[in-house]
């Protein structure tokens, strides 16, 4: 199990891990520990929030720090998938051509535009986060990765080769799926317990994005890939911040 933790954190984070050989055995349950990277990110977000308060940093500094923490912890691996997917979907080409664009290491104009829009919306969302929404936003990183882990073992793969396909092939599907469902149930209940209104809104937003992920990935790509998984993760985390923040403003107006 410790080897599975190392594989998960080595692949999907920049957190230093010991070097080990990736074998079929230690990759079997690696996906089970993917959501715990989200737990680390959520913990760092909360810590930085209160640290900025203690140091009396300005709101913009705090917002910028909270926005870039996920990228710093993960090394941008999911953002890379987001950019590749934006390029592919914006091409309006056939399925095979879109899959080729996903593999292209270069980025196009639409990826740059998508990146700018994403970070603007992320900054806007984090600027509206207060102490009532902060715990909900922190849990979003765990919940989004639980959905992503479930998709690895439950969704059809668009390619037979690739990093995501390798994890899916090596994973013990039934056990990993069961673990992900337990994670999803616990995280969703925890969100509602934290805030019946905002937690429920965040959980509903995550579920909606997950459904959209399956719909467009099957329709446009024939299944999921590592890049599409990154695209989903970025959208899911953004939605789980924006929806509660907007809802809080609506409640305050009403």
């Amino acid at each position: 199990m410790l080897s599975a933790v190392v594989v998960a954190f080595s692949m999907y984070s920049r957190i230093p891990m010991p070097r080990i050989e990736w074998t079929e055995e230690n990759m079997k349950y690696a996906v089970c520990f993917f959501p715990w990277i989200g737990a680390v990110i959520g913990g760092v977000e909360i810590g930085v929030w209160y640290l900025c308060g203690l140091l009396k940093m300005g709101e913009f500094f705090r917002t910028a720090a909270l926005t870039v923490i996920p990228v710093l912890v993960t090394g941008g691996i999911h953002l890379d998938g987001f950019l590749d997917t934006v390029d592919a979907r914006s091409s309006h080409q056939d399925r095979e051509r879109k899959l080729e664009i996903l593999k292209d290491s270069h980025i196009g104009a639409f990826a740059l535009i998508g990146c700018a829009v994403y970070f603007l919306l992320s900054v806007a969302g984090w600027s509206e986060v207060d102490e009532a929404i902060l715990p909900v936003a922190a849990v979003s990183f765990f919940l989004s990765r639980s959905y992503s882990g479930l998709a690895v073992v439950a969704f059809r793969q668009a390619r037979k080769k690739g990093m995501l396909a390798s994890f899916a092939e090596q994973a013990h599907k039934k056990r990993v799926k069961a673990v992900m469902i337990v994670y999803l149930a616990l995280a969703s209940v925890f969100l509602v317990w934290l805030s019946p209104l905002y937690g429920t809104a965040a959980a509903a937003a995550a579920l909606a994005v997950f459904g959209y992920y399956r719909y467009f990935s099957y329709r446009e790509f024939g299944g999921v890939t590592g890049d599409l998984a990154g695209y989903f993760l970025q959208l899911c985390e953004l939605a789980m911040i924006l929806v509660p923040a907007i809802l809080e403003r609506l409640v305050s107006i009403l």
Side-chain angles (χ1 to χ4, degrees):
M1 284 300 175
L2 288 176
S3 296
V5 173
V6 172
V7 169
F9 275 73
S10 297
M11 180 63 201
Y12 294 110
S13 82
R14 301 290 292 176
I15 299 171
M17 287 285 138
R19 290 178 177 269
I20 63 168
E21 182 182 356
W22 288 26
T23 65
E24 181 178 346
E25 187 62 28
N26 59 34
M27 289 183 69
K28 192 177 293 184
Y29 300 107
V31 177
C32 293
F33 299 98
F34 178 45
W36 292 101
I37 300 171
V40 171
I41 295 173
V44 174
E45 294 279 11
I46 292 175
V48 169
W49 168 282
Y50 285 108
L51 179 61
C52 286
L54 288 173
L55 297 177
K56 298 185 178 181
M57 306 301 293
E59 182 178 345
F60 181 76
F61 181 92
R62 184 186 66 192
T63 299
L66 296 174
T67 299
V68 301
I69 283 171
V71 180
L72 296 178
V73 174
T74 64
I77 185 172
H78 307 301
L79 185 62
D80 176 72
F82 173 83
L83 297 181
D84 288 338
T85 304
V86 170
D87 264 343
R89 298 192 72 192
S90 299
S91 71
H92 300 290
Q93 300 293 316
D94 59 31
R95 180 178 296 177
E96 292 304 317
R97 178 55 184 152
K98 285 181 178 179
L99 288 171
E100 289 178 8
I101 293 173
L102 288 181
K103 293 191 295 183
D104 192 341
S105 60
H106 300 87
I107 64 170
F110 288 109
L112 291 174
I113 294 169
C115 186
V117 171
Y118 181 87
F119 276 109
L120 280 173
L121 290 175
S122 185
V123 167
W126 279 109
S127 70
E128 296 295 330
V129 170
D130 55 20
E131 286 190 281
I133 299 179
L134 179 62
V136 172
V139 175
S140 71
F141 298 101
F142 183 90
L143 184 63
S144 62
R145 282 163 175 76
S146 297
Y147 273 119
S148 185
L150 178 61
V152 170
V153 293
F155 287 3
R156 184 170 67 231
Q157 302 295 314
R159 297 195 191 101
K160 294 182 179 180
K161 296 182 179 180
M163 187 56 68
L164 191 74
S166 296
F167 272 93
E169 182 181 353
Q170 302 294 338
H172 191 300
K173 289 185 171 57
K174 288 185 178 180
R175 292 180 182 176
V176 172
K177 187 183 297 185
V179 170
M180 291 301 116
I181 291 173
V182 170
Y183 283 169
L184 289 169
L186 292 176
S188 298
V189 170
F190 187 52
L191 279 172
V192 176
W193 177 80
L194 284 171
S195 174
L197 180 59
Y198 305 128
T200 301
L207 181 59
V209 176
F210 185 65
Y212 175 65
Y213 173 38
R214 186 189 186 283
Y215 168 75
F216 87 78
S217 63
Y218 276 50
R219 182 172 181 269
E220 298 182 32
F221 298 90
V224 297
T225 71
D227 287 320
L228 299 183
Y231 182 82
F232 158 72
L233 207 62
Q234 298 293 155
L235 285 187
C236 191
E237 291 172 1
L238 183 61
M240 291 184 71
I241 294 171
L242 287 177
V243 170
I246 293 172
L247 181 60
E248 185 181 42
R249 293 304 169 209
L250 291 175
V251 170
S252 65
I253 293 173
L254 298 176

